[in-house]
Structures are given as C-alpha cells and as structure tokens.
C-alpha cells in the first residue's frame, strides 16, 4: 500500500501512514469543521491495512489538541490496532503529549484502558 | 451605548470593556474560519497566554467546543443555514478566565438543553470525568455529533459552568453559557 501523507492545516492534524513499515502517526491539532469528512478516508485505509497487516505495527499520537468529535475516530484507530494485535501481530501505541499537559496524558490513559495493546508515554 | 452628537462614543465602550476586564469580544456570524481567527487572536493575547500547557489547552478547548456548538446547533433568526449569529466574550479576573458565549436556539430545544446542563452542574469533577469517558466510548462518528459531548467537554475543562435562557419570540430563545477556568494548575 502506498504511504498516506496528509499535511496539517490549521484545524486538522498531520497524517503519516507508512503501510510498508507499519508506522502510523497523527500529530498536531484536530478540530475539523467536518470530522467525518476528514477521518472517513483515513479509517478506510487503516481498515484495508488491517486485512493483511505487517508483523509489527506502531501507532504514534503526537497531538497538541483534539476536540470532542475527534475522539471517536481516534478511538477507532486504537481499536483497529487491537484487532491487528489479535491476529497475533506485534502492536505498540505511543502517546505523546506536550510537557505539563496532564489532561492530554489522562486521555491517553483512558484510551489505554479500553484495549490490551501496550501504551507508552512521552512528552514533546 | 451613549451617542454624543453624530458619532458613536467609543470611549464609554472602551471604559466598559476595561472595567469588566474583557480581554476579547466578538459578535457576528460564526463559521469555522472565524473560529480559527478567534483562536489565533486569543492565543496571542498576552493576558490569556498562560504559561502552562494544560491551562492553555483548556481555554482553547472551551472556545472550540462552545463555538463549534454554535455552528452545529445554533439557530438563526431567519432561515440561513451555514452561518450562525452569536457572541463570544472572554474576560479575566485574578486567576479566573471566563468564556461566555451566546447564540439563538429553537424553543423546542430549550427543555432538553436545560436538562443536560442542569445535570452537568450537579456533578463533581470526578463524576464529570466518568460521564465524559462513558459518553466518548459510546460516541458515533457523524457529521453532526450531538451537543452532549461538547457540553460535557466544556464542563470537564472548566471549574464551573452556568447558563441563562431568555425567550425572544414564539420560535427562538437566546442561550448564554459561561464557563470559568482557573489559571492555577491543579
């Protein structure tokens, strides 16, 4: 699958999905005017990847901010990783947050509780 | 507002803004571009530019949720759709930032909105966190998500929320929401 790269805009994040390397990254801010319009094609790609995933997949979140309606597509991405893990693949999720942003760290921990994929945390 | 002679007396308006510690105010028709402009302006305001990332993000978050709620759920006085009339006012007193927004809503929506906010007002911060988590986990991805999640997020990020609803006519009411945020990290 060809790498999916979407440059950030003022209200949408940078998306870098390198399917060959099994590396997925979402960074920046996410509060699109139309959440569905932005995330539907991205989720479609990850669903396609999940049919025949690589041995190792690594999902990185490096978000400064996301709004309440971006929560669902983020959760969908995380759940998709869980699905891949259940296919006996090696999956890790890295949750990065701005130094001192304890709210953002907390949301990461909330996501981590929902799945069995191991989360690691780091600040940027 | 006092008018002297033929011109609008802005000095009184300036004094009023200063006395009320108003950092920023805007009245107009909201859309996503305007939300971005307001976010940019507010993040550049010296007295709102908090040192702490968590406080900065809470202010940013409340502005986004309040204004996107207006865009998604606000009513208009006629039947134009894309742009929604509204007002935002940000003030700061000591260690508290107040974000107040106002917009039109349909009278039919008043009871449900009151119920939602009164419920949130009665919860403590731990209960709000739990409700937020529960709601988020069961949310669906849709073009027009329910205002519930936005309101819960506003309550979660603020120290206190309050509101007022005033009937304008048989169809619409004016809804004011005030969220206060402590700038002291907890």
């Amino acid at each position: 699958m060809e790498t999916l790269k979407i440059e950030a805009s003022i209200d949408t994040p940078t998306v870098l999905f390198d399917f060959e390397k099994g590396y997925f990254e979402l960074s920046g801010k996410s509060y699109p005017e139309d959440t569905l319009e932005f995330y539907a094609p991205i989720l479609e790609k990850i669903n396609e990847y999940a049919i025949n995933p690589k041995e190792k997949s690594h999902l990185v979140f490096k978000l400064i901010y996301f709004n309440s309606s971006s929560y669902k597509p983020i959760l969908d991405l995380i759940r998709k990783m869980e699905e891949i893990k259940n296919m006996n693949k090696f999956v890790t999720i890295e949750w990065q947050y701005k130094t001192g942003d304890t709210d953002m760290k907390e949301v990461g921990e909330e996501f981590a509780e929902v799945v069995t994929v191991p989360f690691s945390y780091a600040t940027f | 507002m006092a008018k002297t002679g033929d011109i609008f007396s802005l000095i009184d308006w300036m004094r009023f803004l200063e006395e009320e510690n108003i950092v920023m105010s805007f009245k107009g028709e909201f859309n996503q571009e305007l939300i971005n402009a307001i976010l940019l302006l507010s993040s550049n305001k010296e007295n709102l530019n908090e040192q702490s990332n968590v406080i900065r993000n809470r202010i940013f978050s409340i502005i986004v949720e309040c204004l996107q709620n207006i865009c998604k759920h606000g009513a208009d006085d006629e039947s134009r759709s894309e742009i929604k009339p509204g007002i935002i006012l940000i003030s700061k007193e000591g260690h508290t930032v107040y974000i107040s927004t106002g917009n039109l809503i349909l009278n039919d929506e008043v009871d449900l909105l009151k119920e939602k906010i009164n419920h949130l007002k009665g919860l403590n911060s731990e209960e709000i966190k739990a409700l937020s988590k529960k709601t988020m986990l069961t949310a669906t991805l849709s073009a027009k998500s329910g205002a519930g999640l936005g309101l819960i997020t506003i309550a979660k990020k603020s120290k206190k929320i309050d509101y007022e609803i005033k009937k304008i006519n048989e169809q619409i009411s004016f809804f004011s929401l005030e969220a206060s945020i402590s700038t002291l990290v907890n």
Side-chain angles (χ1 to χ4, degrees), chain B residues 165-183:
Chain B
I165 297 175
K166 280 195 170 158
K167 192 173 170 182
I168 293 179
N169 60 35
E170 288 311 307
Q171 280 81 45
I172 52 172
S173 295
F174 192 81
F175 168 58
S176 311
L177 181 70
E178 183 185 271
S180 51
I181 306 135
S182 168
T183 59

Side-chain angles (χ1 to χ4, degrees), chain A residues 31 67-68 99 101 113, chain B residues 32 36 53 57 65 68 133:
Chain A
Y31 57 103
N67 70 348
S68 60
T99 310
D101 194 349
E113 284 174 28
Chain B
Q32 182 79 3
N36 283 328
N53 281 327
N57 240 352
E65 299 296 341
Q68 287 192 330
K133 199 177 155 188

Side-chain angles (χ1 to χ4, degrees), chain A residues 10-114:
Chain A
I10 190 161
D11 48 25
T12 55
T14 300
V15 179
L16 174 66
F17 283 7
D18 188 332
F19 301 101
E20 292 311 309
K21 287 187 180 145
Y23 181 87
F24 309 97
E25 190 183 306
L26 209 61
S27 58
K29 291 181 178 176
S30 175
Y31 57 103
E33 182 173 16
D34 188 336
T35 313
L36 186 64
E37 189 189 40
F38 182 78
Y39 281 103
I42 296 167
L43 292 169
E44 215 168 278
K45 286 277 183 188
I46 204 86
N47 287 345
E48 196 186 324
Y49 170 80
I51 298 169
N52 187 18
K54 300 286 167 196
E55 280 309 307
K56 283 183 181 177
S57 300
H58 188 51
L59 172 61
V60 179
F61 291 102
K62 202 175 171 181
L63 295 165
I64 297 168
Y65 166 74
F66 65 92
N67 70 348
S68 60
S69 50
S70 299
Y71 190 100
K72 174 63 182 163
I74 291 172
L75 181 62
D76 285 349
L77 271 177
I78 292 170
R79 284 196 165 133
K80 197 45 81 173
M81 289 295 138
E82 176 81 354
E83 221 179 283
I84 295 170
K85 179 181 175 267
N86 291 340
M87 297 162 82
N88 281 325
K89 305 289 179 188
F90 186 75
V91 182
T92 46
I93 296 177
E94 189 177 327
W95 188 265
Q96 293 193 30
Y97 56 96
K98 277 251 191 182
T99 310
D101 194 349
T102 45
D103 285 1
M104 191 57 105
K105 181 174 191 250
E106 222 169 80
V107 188
E109 290 167 345
E110 282 179 17
F111 281 128
E113 284 174 28
V114 182

Side-chain angles (χ1 to χ4, degrees), chain B residues 43-84:
Chain B
S43 58
N44 287 336
K45 285 273 179 193
E46 206 179 305
N47 34 8
L48 284 181
N49 197 0
E50 295 298 329
Q51 292 301 306
S52 142
N53 281 327
V54 68
I55 303 299
R56 253 205 319 258
N57 240 352
R58 282 180 193 165
I59 294 172
F60 193 93
S61 170
I62 292 173
I63 298 174
V64 171
E65 299 296 341
C66 286
L67 299 185
Q68 287 192 330
N69 264 350
I70 295 180
C71 289
K72 286 177 188 161
H73 306 282
D76 38 49
D77 39 8
E78 288 157 45
S79 56
R80 291 155 302 159
S81 57
E82 285 301 306
I83 42 178
K84 301 294 168 62

